[in-house]
Amino acid sequence: NILSTSTPSRPHSILVCRLWRDCARRVLRMHQRLTWISTKGHTFIDEEDGDHFMVKKMIVDLEEVYLVPDTVLYMAGTDTFSVQRANKRKKERRDGPPKKSRDAEVAAKLENLLPMECKTVGVSCPGIVYTPMGCGTQRPLEVENGIAGFALLLPKMDGVTVKFFHLSNKDLNNNMFDQEKLQEAGLQDNPELRVVLLFGYNTFKPAAADFIQRLTRPFNVRNTIVVGGHVDRVFSPSSESIDVRHMYGFVGLSLSGRPIQAASILLDEDVETAKSAEAAMQRLKAANIPETNTVGFMFACIGRGQNYYSSKENVEADAFRKQFPGIPLFGFFGNGEIGCDRIVTEHFSLRECGNSADCDELLHGYTTVMALLHLGPVK
């Protein structure tokens, strides 16, 4: 034991420990840059070993990720959680229901690969938008059949706070949200709140309309970028118990801190050609968001995509890449979109959702929401 040696050597040992600590801090600061793991997959879970393709991909590629993830956002196509062969499903029906759903099993395996304190959000959607691994200059892909997945890995960053939240109809008391829970999520009494990623589940239920209004109304008059949409399932964190028969709500991430800059735009039904999509991206470019340590998001209606653009594929992702060739793009095709034209930078905030307090301005269908999220300079 180096510290149990003679007294004269202790100051030297302390100095060495401090040098190692400072060196480790410098290394970690060098890796305060987001990274990701992504892949195309299969329409089934491998029956031989029961592993989802995202689990297999992360087992291999996490070894090559030189950062400690603090937050992980991952998405996969809903159909990728089916089983390869029908005979196994028949056996399960004969033997009784499985202990866990397929996506819950995948969530548990993925979470076991990550640090214990890592915040995770995992959802499944009809279609996936992702940038292949390597660098942000790769062409982002719109996989409308959903046979793909990605995990966006965010390290702990100086001056940036990321919090996970889950709000459901069970959190309402006399039609009011628990104020303490909103504060814990960073959604209330938080002057440094900059961005909210919001993913709704079971929001087709009739009673969910009022719930959505109550949750999103404060964001319509606040200088905060709010983007996301409605997904098929929420499967991570696996610790969140969601009764799909009776519950509806949102999971998401709140991002706070002065280094954060962000902007979002809405592509409505008037954007229906490649040319008009490129023109819309110029609005996002005009926000002048820094393009290093920045990620793009695309949340599109399942009714858009190739069929919407007269059988031309990848139109909106390509339009994004034309303006932002070095920024990776991620997202999904879902069942409704959340967002509007809005800019939040270190110098000013601009909201262009209109003057109305009607929060329908944040809730859309048959549209696409595009966003940029800058996480601060890499030190």
Side-chain angles (χ1 to χ4, degrees), residues 86-97:
N87 63 346
K88 187 167 185 177
R89 291 195 294 272
K90 290 177 182 178
K91 184 177 185 299
E92 286 173 347
R93 286 196 295 268
R94 185 173 65 249
D95 297 341

Side-chain angles (χ1 to χ4, degrees), residues 228-345:
H230 305 289
V231 301
D232 285 342
R233 288 285 300 270
V234 173
F235 58 88
S236 186
S238 58
S239 59
E240 295 292 314
S241 179
I242 297 177
D243 182 351
V244 295
R245 295 172 299 173
H246 303 111
M247 287 177 64
Y248 50 83
F250 287 90
V251 298
L253 296 171
S254 67
L255 295 97
S256 307
R258 295 184 181 277
I260 295 174
Q261 300 185 47
S264 61
I265 61 169
L266 177 71
L267 282 63
D268 59 21
E269 294 181 48
D270 292 336
V271 179
E272 55 185 6
T273 65
K275 187 175 181 179
S276 58
E278 290 176 7
M281 297 303 164
Q282 291 175 7
R283 301 205 310 272
L284 196 58
K285 185 74 172 182
N288 291 320
I289 302 299
E291 297 184 20
T292 57
N293 204 27
T294 299
V295 61
F297 290 107
M298 172 179 166
F299 302 112
C301 176
I302 194 173
R304 293 179 74 94
Q306 184 173 348
N307 291 335
Y308 184 80
Y309 286 101
S310 303
S311 299
K312 188 174 182 180
E313 64 180 13
N314 226 64
V315 169
E316 294 174 349
D318 284 345
F320 177 89
R321 184 171 182 248
K322 188 172 183 178
Q323 295 294 331
F324 307 101
I327 298 179
L329 181 68
F330 302 96
F332 59 70
F333 288 87
N335 308 306
E337 305 78 59
I338 300 171
C340 67
D341 280 42
R342 193 174 289 181
I343 303 169
V344 176
T345 74

Side-chain angles (χ1 to χ4, degrees), residues 1 16 43 71 74 92-93 95 99-100 102 114 152 171 182 218-219 233 238 241 270 286 292 299 362 374 376:
N1 187 336
V16 170
T43 56
T71 305
Y74 59 96
E92 286 173 347
R93 286 196 295 268
D95 297 341
K99 293 181 179 180
K100 281 187 175 181
R102 295 295 175 190
L114 300 168
L152 187 60
D171 294 308
L182 291 176
F219 299 124
R233 288 285 300 270
S238 58
S241 179
D270 292 336
T292 57
F299 302 112
L362 283 174
H374 171 65

Side-chain angles (χ1 to χ4, degrees), residues 61 85 141 186 232:
D61 290 346
R85 296 175 186 169
L141 302 174
D232 285 342

Side-chain angles (χ1 to χ4, degrees), residues 165-182:
F165 61 86
H166 176 202
L167 298 168
S168 75
N169 54 309
K170 291 191 174 182
D171 294 308
L172 288 175
N173 184 11
N174 294 323
N175 291 324
M176 296 292 291
F177 284 106
D178 183 338
Q179 302 302 301
E180 185 175 340
K181 189 165 186 177
L182 291 176

